[in-house]
Amino acid sequence: MPASTAVTPGCDCYVHRFGSIAPGRRAGCYPSDMADAEWGEVRSAMPVPAWLLKQGGRPEGHCHRQMVDQCHEVKDLLAMSRLRGR
């Protein structure tokens, strides 16, 4: 695996670490976002992308941590709407 080319405080997903998107801070945090310890567990379970191993494919254009956080946010919104009886 190549060495990291970008340092992104708050996010160390493949996309930020290896320069597929511009380095920078993660977007604003929400109460539903994962803690750093939770992200560490999720990140270690994610496979290395094929593009990073030079096996084809295109580099992603979105932060992995941000995508997982969005899934948590949607899940929380759905749970709240079900509790209200919608």
Side-chain angles (χ1 to χ4, degrees):
M1 184 179 318
S4 176
T5 59
V7 176
T8 306
C11 187
D12 57 353
C13 71
Y14 290 120
V15 180
H16 278 116
R17 285 174 43 209
F18 299 103
S20 297
I21 58 176
R25 292 191 175 272
R26 280 192 321 123
C29 294
Y30 296 92
S32 61
D33 286 358
M34 290 182 290
D36 290 337
E38 291 173 313
W39 169 244
E41 292 293 320
V42 171
R43 182 191 62 234
S44 66
M46 295 179 85
V48 177
W51 61 267
L52 194 54
L53 299 174
K54 306 280 191 246
Q55 295 177 347
R58 299 171 81 181
E60 290 101 343
H62 301 282
C63 173
H64 294 162
R65 185 172 182 172
Q66 200 168 9
M67 287 190 289
V68 174
D69 282 340
Q70 291 294 322
C71 293
H72 283 242
E73 188 176 335
V74 169
K75 178 192 63 123
D76 288 349
L77 289 172
L78 288 172
M80 283 190 285
S81 67
R82 287 182 183 154
L83 286 174
R84 282 189 265 161
R86 282 190 180 202

